[in-house]
Amino acid sequence: MKLTAAQVAFYQENGYLQIPDYFTETEVDVLYAELPKTVERDSPRIIFEDNGSIRSIFAPHFVNETYERLSRHKKLVIPSEQLIGDKIYLHQYKVNTKKGLKGDWWEWHQDFPYWHIDDGIEQPAMVSVMLYLQDTDSSNGALLLIPKTHKLGIVQFAEKGALRITEEGMKNSLEGNKNYLSSLNANLKFTVDHALIKDLSTRNGIVTASGRKGSVLFFHGNIFHASNINLTPFDRDAVLITYNSVHNAPCNKPNPRPAFLAGRDYNPIETLEASILTQEV
Ligand code: 6CS
Ligand code: FE
């Protein structure tokens, strides 16, 4: 599971790296079977779309052993340590469930601004890894990426009118979440200025990160990315784990976001030797 020098070089140049068929069909099926057990509908960990379908399940590892074991799997931790160049801890863990005919879009954005501004993380010494639980392509909302934009740092945000959090959105979200919804819903507060999207996508192109279930995508916190609504009847569930360097943990951030959004255990992750998905060790 160590990345080759060519893979690390590709990531450093482009801001992302895809590895097909990285987990077996059996491993993905076990994860998918466990997914309903991570949902507690009245928990602030669950973020809903305006139409009431589930948009994100945060911190599945808080309630499920299999998802906890996945976050420590060597196949995820070792490459992430290579890409960050340090020991790592888990900053954020979610399953983005872009349900068939219901899953909404993610506007063009960078992730790091949210972790820098909302969570007080100083540097983008972080990496996100996306594990596809279903076959994913442009029709059911695969991630779109603009290569090399991770080199730009935090860029100009798009001008947005008053952040519209619909009545539906408010109704579906618990009191505590109202402050964070515009970092998590389909009307994000920090999105990329449209002139920049036009300029950079013209120069660098737009990559559609399609992949069969079991594929993974490593991507940088500053790369421009987005995904469309899911107009097919086929769900596009994906696990997203964001790791941070243990030397880049937030320090004295006033009013930090809750632990299900910003991990509090800054100790280096101890990788799991055995298979994640069976209880035997
Ligand atoms: O606020 C956050 O942490 C989340 N928001 C976005 C738009 N992407 C990164 C992260 O999952
Ligand atoms: Fe994102």
Side-chain angles (χ1 to χ4, degrees):
M1 65 262 340
K2 248 177 100 70
L3 299 175
T4 65
Q7 287 176 312
V8 173
F10 182 92
Y11 175 88
Q12 288 168 341
E13 175 58 16
N14 293 284
Y16 73 96
L17 172 71
Q18 281 199 274
I19 307 180
D21 306 327
Y22 196 52
F23 285 91
T24 65
E25 187 133 353
T26 308
E27 288 175 315
V28 174
D29 290 347
V30 169
L31 278 169
Y32 189 68
E34 290 291 306
L35 190 57
K37 301 175 190 170
T38 67
V39 176
E40 304 156 315
R41 290 193 71 86
D42 59 352
S43 163
R45 292 186 302 106
I46 313 301
I47 304 299
F48 294 91
E49 302 286 15
D50 286 350
N51 61 25
S53 67
I54 293 181
R55 180 177 175 87
S56 298
I57 302 162
F58 276 92
H61 60 312
F62 280 11
V63 294
N64 186 276
E65 170 71 16
T66 301
Y67 279 84
E68 196 284 327
R69 292 163 70 84
L70 174 67
S71 71
R72 293 188 290 122
H73 197 290
K74 287 194 294 190
K75 281 184 173 180
L76 299 182
V77 176
I78 291 177
S80 299
E81 287 179 338
Q82 282 181 272
L83 297 176
I84 291 175
D86 201 353
K87 286 293 177 194
I88 57 177
Y89 76 90
L90 190 152
H91 171 62
Q92 190 172 93
Y93 195 163
K94 63 181 185 180
V95 179
N96 275 355
T97 60
K98 195 185 280 280
K99 288 306 176 193
L101 299 171
K102 294 216 171 212
D104 210 332
W105 71 342
W106 288 83
E107 300 167 86
W108 283 104
H109 67 280
Q110 296 174 300
D111 289 343
F112 181 60
Y114 294 88
W115 304 327
H116 182 62
I117 298 165
D118 287 357
D119 299 328
I121 292 179
E122 199 55 40
Q123 299 297 328
M126 309 176 80
V127 66
S128 292
V129 54
M130 189 173 193
L131 166 55
Y132 299 2
L133 297 183
Q134 276 105 12
D135 294 347
T136 299
D137 63 26
S138 57
S139 67
N140 65 341
L143 213 60
L144 305 175
L145 303 149
I146 301 181
K148 308 185 182 175
T149 47
H150 66 301
K151 298 178 177 176
L152 302 173
I154 294 179
V155 300
Q156 172 80 29
F157 298 148
E159 279 300 312
K160 296 200 105 173
L163 281 174
R164 170 190 59 80
I165 294 179
T166 62
E167 209 36 55
E168 262 315 285
M170 293 290 265
K171 198 174 71 186
N172 287 326
S173 292
L174 289 188
E175 195 51 43
N177 265 352
K178 291 189 174 54
N179 321 340
Y180 313 124
L181 262 187
S182 57
S183 296
L184 311 173
N185 66 10
N187 185 24
L188 295 175
K189 63 183 181 182
F190 304 143
T191 57
V192 178
D193 172 74
H194 285 185
L196 271 176
I197 296 292
K198 183 167 169 47
D199 175 28
L200 272 301
S201 52
T202 305
R203 278 198 276 150
N204 301 359
I206 294 177
V207 166
T208 301
S210 300
R212 282 186 301 277
K213 73 182 197 180
S215 304
V216 293
L217 168 74
F218 292 90
F219 62 104
H220 190 281
N222 277 330
I223 192 167
F224 297 2
H225 61 289
S227 63
N228 278 312
I229 65 173
N230 184 357
L231 282 173
T232 75
F234 311 115
D235 295 348
R236 190 229 70 180
D237 297 315
V239 180
L240 279 137
I241 303 179
T242 298
Y243 297 108
N244 187 17
S245 153
V246 293
H247 295 100
N248 190 41
C251 43
N252 52 52
K253 167 82 171 68
N255 317 313
R257 291 195 298 179
F260 70 83
L261 288 175
R264 294 289 196 276
D265 179 357
Y266 305 142
N267 295 303
I269 289 181
E270 284 169 34
T271 53
L272 206 63
E273 289 312 316
S275 152
I276 28 167
L277 302 176
T278 49
Q279 295 313 322
E280 95 258 355
V281 283

